[in-house]
Amino acid sequence: MRLATIVTSRGPRLHVKARSGYVDVADELADPRLASLGSVLRAGDQAMDAARGLQDRDGVQYAPADLGPAVPAPPRILCLGVNYREHALEGGREVPTWPEAFVRGADSVLGPYADLVKPTLTSRFDYEGELGVVIGTGGRYIPAGKALDAVAGYVVLNDASARDWQRAASQWTAGKNFDGSMPIGPELVTPDEADVSDVALTTTLNGQVMQSARTSQMIVDIPSAIEFFSSFTRLRPGDVIATGTPGGVGFARQPPVWMQPGDVIEITVEGVGTIRNRVVAEEGDRSDWRWRPGGQTPGGL
């Protein structure tokens, strides 16, 4: 099954991809509580099965621009950094023996085809094509052998990063959390629809292939990532795990390649889908803003 959040005149609403077009889950099931992905995931298997039963109907055709973030309000986005060997090596790092983890906030999500705003406060806006895992049942201490039972589905995402902000301190939070910097979608694809253990992940910038890898090359695979995160926090329905990006990112190229207004960044995960975003400049003049990595900040900091 493929679930999409469609932006309608009534606001974002959960739809299932049907025989033709998309079907509004809450309307078809006559249950207004099921209008959002989070509500369906919290309702559990019964709600997911009810949505699955709508796939053989005829729905409404929508334009790509109508699709909102596939997970519009994730409780958390738990991220793995440096989770492909080639990405570690291109950044001059040792291949990690312990997961590099950080967290994104819900305000950083963006629609799969929306304009990706380059923050005016960064000159080093980088792409990171990734596979995302959406949690369904969740829980604590989930062993790897049972981890896939906790998965609601998979998405494509771009962990777009302000590298100068990321490198300005020892923690990555600021560089990874600019508003609307993580396109996610286009749909949530359930595990019975796609086996993502060994599929192609490709990132293109203006049509040129920048990243090309397979998900089987992850250092920490999906079951192990779920086991790891559930070791210290209770995974909840709608949480997203970003599984890391492969080699080929912009900062490691010679010369570096940064996303600029007018660029088109496209990320495909085989069997899951493609997200495509046009990069645009942030509006407004922030030339006198105090906080800017690499320069002197007023006040003695």
Side-chain angles (χ1 to χ4, degrees):
M1 175 171 62
R2 292 174 178 265
L3 295 167
T5 295
I6 308 291
V7 180
T8 73
S9 60
R10 293 183 288 168
R13 295 183 64 84
L14 182 67
H15 287 64
V16 63
K17 192 168 188 178
R19 181 173 53 199
S20 63
Y22 289 94
V23 169
D24 186 300
V25 173
D27 283 352
E28 289 296 310
L29 296 178
D31 188 343
R33 297 172 299 176
L34 303 181
S36 70
L37 176 65
S39 297
V40 169
L41 294 180
R42 289 189 295 272
D45 290 343
Q46 185 174 358
M48 287 289 281
D49 289 342
R52 189 173 281 108
L54 303 175
Q55 296 178 95
D56 61 352
R57 304 194 183 187
D58 291 316
V60 177
Q61 298 288 345
Y62 289 96
D66 294 325
L67 271 66
V71 189
R76 289 171 305 182
I77 306 163
L78 302 166
C79 306
L80 288 174
V82 201
N83 198 31
Y84 286 78
R85 182 176 183 273
E86 291 305 316
H87 182 46
L89 296 177
E90 72 180 356
R93 301 172 61 113
E94 301 244 346
V95 177
T97 58
W98 182 265
E100 186 78 68
F102 61 96
V103 179
R104 271 184 174 265
D107 286 344
S108 69
V109 302
L110 183 72
Y113 305 110
D115 286 347
L116 176 59
V117 177
K118 175 190 173 295
T120 191
L121 297 179
T122 182
S123 60
R124 300 179 180 182
F125 198 36
D126 207 349
Y127 53 83
E128 291 195 10
E130 303 191 15
L131 171 69
V133 179
V134 184
I135 298 298
T137 54
R140 280 291 305 279
Y141 297 109
I142 303 171
K146 296 183 178 180
L148 295 184
D149 294 339
V151 174
Y154 305 105
V155 291
V156 185
L157 62 88
N158 183 357
D159 180 27
S161 306
R163 295 295 188 196
D164 37 7
W165 283 76
Q166 180 185 355
R167 308 296 189 203
S170 61
Q171 302 297 314
W172 297 0
T173 302
K176 296 285 190 175
N177 274 279
F178 276 86
D179 281 359
S181 62
M182 195 186 82
I184 183 170
E187 301 158 330
L188 181 149
V189 181
T190 56
D192 56 347
E193 180 90 5
D195 176 2
V196 298
S197 57
D198 181 28
V199 294
L201 189 162
T202 307
T203 300
T204 65
L205 182 64
N206 300 325
Q208 179 181 350
V209 175
M210 309 299 280
Q211 295 181 289
S212 180
R214 300 193 69 82
T215 55
S216 57
Q217 296 173 299
M218 292 180 191
I219 298 169
V220 180
D221 62 15
I222 292 170
S224 298
I226 292 170
E227 182 180 65
F228 169 72
F229 283 115
S230 73
S231 301
F232 63 86
T233 187
R234 179 171 295 278
L235 299 181
R236 302 186 185 280
D239 281 347
V240 175
I241 295 177
T243 58
T245 201
V249 295
F251 84 81
R253 294 178 173 271
Q254 296 298 328
V257 175
W258 309 115
M259 292 189 292
Q260 302 291 347
D263 287 347
V264 175
I265 186 76
E266 183 173 294
I267 298 163
T268 299
V269 175
E270 180 184 2
V272 179
T274 298
I275 61 175
R276 183 183 305 104
N277 303 92
R278 182 172 64 104
V279 181
V280 299
E282 182 179 5
E283 296 181 354
D285 181 8
R286 299 290 183 271
S287 58
D288 61 347
W289 192 252
R290 175 184 180 190
W291 298 100
R292 192 179 295 270
Q296 293 294 325
T297 57
L301 289 179

